[in-house]
Amino acid sequence: MKTSQYLIALGLALGSLTYANATTRDTTFHADGNPIIRHKYTADPAAMVYKDKVYLYTGHDEAAPGHNGYTMHDWTCFTTTDMVNWTEHPSPMNVREFKWAKDDAWASQVIERNGKFYWYVAVEHGTIHGKAIGVAVSDSPLGPFKDARGSALVTNDMTKAVKHSWDDIDPTVIIDKGGQAYLFWGNGICYYAKLKSDMTELDGEIKTITLPHYTEAPWIHERNGWYYLSYAYEFPEKIAYAMSRNINGPWEYKGIINEIAGNSNTNHQAIIEFKGKWYFIYHNGALVPDAGSFHRSVCIDYLYYNKDGSIKRVVMTSEGVRPAK
């Protein structure tokens, strides 16, 4: 890394640390285009709409300048009522909340059910080799969140479709119109399973879905009777998707919707509807000239559908989105 680039990254890292130490209470900021968050590194976005507000949960890249590896210990939470004016809240959860976990606060998603909020996260297990999925619960979308089980929901010894130890990552969750909850996840293969109504136990066997060039980062959403399963495609990652009338398939591959995000090998999406518009939330490496894959930043652009329900290509912009009304 060149000296000038190192100083830029170091300054941002130190600024993030100073800001983080100061943000023990809510703070507000205005997003001036993409990336929307510039005072710290954020990655693997997941978003939830609840009571006319968007809750954005992200991972938090903290790698030292020039370090080519992931350093992630906690998750962040931001809220907005218009997609451009944001409130940052104190971190709702650290990986230390899971006493059985070693480290690595990787991708996650929060969902509400019956007035409680369930946060599914990917972490490194402390005693079972490999990545694992945990679930935390809170009475508030802002936390604090507490381990809901005292043990992992999914561990590497439960999944055998691929041989590597990091296949149990990137959980995404949905509750269908009949009230049945499903968990999707996986690197190298897409796993899915039903969840019991308590949202903290699997209900039945773990199944797999075969998707073209599937890498990781599944996201499941529904619109007009269609289920959409988007995911990271190849490496460096694009985002592709499949559609189905039934959440159990069959899934029809429909193509790529998001190209490689600048200066980042990974690509991780959340798709939500808010105030009549659809949003594609992702990350790139735009804030640093080098090692952007490990110092990522969340961005937001619009998502549009064709008349047949298929998704149009996402146009990544510097300007981002306009205030939602």
Side-chain angles (χ1 to χ4, degrees):
M1 178 182 286
K2 295 179 180 178
T3 301
S4 61
Q5 297 171 344
Y6 179 87
L7 292 175
I8 290 171
L10 179 60
L12 184 54
L14 291 175
S16 297
L17 180 61
T18 301
Y19 189 97
N21 288 337
T23 54
T24 55
R25 59 173 184 256
D26 292 351
T27 57
T28 60
F29 63 94
H30 177 82
D32 186 17
N34 284 324
I36 63 166
I37 302 158
R38 304 192 180 205
H39 59 272
K40 64 173 57 174
Y41 298 117
T42 53
D44 301 330
M48 174 183 68
V49 178
Y50 180 70
K51 291 186 176 180
D52 298 320
K53 186 179 289 187
V54 172
Y55 291 79
L56 173 64
Y57 303 90
T58 82
H60 181 200
D61 282 336
E62 299 182 85
H67 175 68
N68 291 326
Y70 298 109
T71 303
M72 307 176 77
H73 306 300
D74 64 3
W75 294 270
T76 67
C77 178
F78 305 84
T79 59
T80 183
T81 58
D82 67 0
M83 303 304 287
V84 296
N85 293 293
W86 292 86
T87 299
E88 179 176 7
H89 305 276
S91 172
M93 189 167 62
N94 189 290
V95 72
R96 291 192 299 270
E97 177 58 37
F98 300 98
K99 305 303 182 186
W100 47 267
K102 184 185 297 182
D103 204 359
D104 295 346
W106 283 17
S108 66
Q109 188 179 346
V110 176
I111 194 169
E112 181 269 340
R113 182 161 201 167
N114 296 330
K116 290 188 178 293
F117 300 86
Y118 298 90
W119 199 342
Y120 300 85
V121 302
V123 297
E124 181 75 14
H125 202 284
T127 57
I128 300 172
H129 180 62
K131 292 290 188 269
I133 293 174
V135 57
V137 65
S138 176
D139 292 328
S140 166
L142 301 180
F145 283 80
K146 301 296 182 183
D147 186 354
R149 292 171 47 92
S151 62
L153 176 63
V154 178
T155 53
N156 186 51
D157 55 355
M158 296 168 60
T159 51
K160 304 296 184 181
V162 293
K163 294 182 179 180
H164 59 259
S165 64
W166 58 94
D167 54 330
D168 297 303
I169 63 171
D170 296 355
T172 181
V173 64
I174 191 173
I175 301 172
D176 70 13
K177 292 182 178 180
Q180 177 62 57
Y182 292 84
L183 181 72
F184 292 70
W185 74 96
N187 174 288
I189 190 74
C190 185
Y191 297 108
Y192 81 107
K194 290 181 178 180
L195 289 167
K196 292 184 179 180
S197 58
D198 64 6
M199 302 296 283
T200 65
E201 300 175 85
L202 299 185
D203 187 8
E205 64 178 316
I206 296 173
K207 300 178 181 180
T208 62
I209 303 170
T210 300
L211 297 163
H213 301 277
Y214 176 90
T215 303
E216 58 187 2
W219 180 271
I220 181 80
H221 77 279
E222 186 272 339
R223 174 184 178 269
N224 292 347
W226 284 106
Y227 289 97
Y228 297 81
L229 181 54
S230 52
Y231 61 93
Y233 174 107
E234 296 184 334
F235 193 83
E237 295 172 352
K238 309 173 185 71
I239 298 297
Y241 78 108
M243 294 172 62
S244 178
R245 287 293 189 183
N246 189 309
I247 200 167
N248 291 291
W251 292 94
E252 181 183 355
Y253 175 73
K254 302 299 289 187
I256 293 168
I257 54 173
N258 182 227
E259 298 292 346
I260 294 171
N263 199 32
S264 175
N265 287 330
T266 61
N267 201 337
H268 194 112
Q269 78 294 355
I271 297 173
I272 61 168
E273 182 184 18
F274 183 61
K275 294 186 176 180
K277 295 186 182 297
W278 285 85
Y279 296 90
F280 187 88
I281 309 172
Y282 60 103
H283 65 231
N284 65 19
L287 291 187
V288 286
D290 293 328
S293 292
F294 310 108
H295 298 99
R296 295 162 293 179
S297 300
V298 168
C299 302
I300 304 177
D301 281 302
Y302 293 112
L303 182 139
Y304 299 101
Y305 297 87
N306 296 303
K307 290 182 179 180
D308 64 356
S310 59
I311 297 175
K312 295 183 178 182
R313 290 261 181 151
V314 173
V315 177
M316 292 181 284
T317 70
S318 298
E319 296 83 0
V321 298
R322 297 176 295 277
K325 298 179 181 179

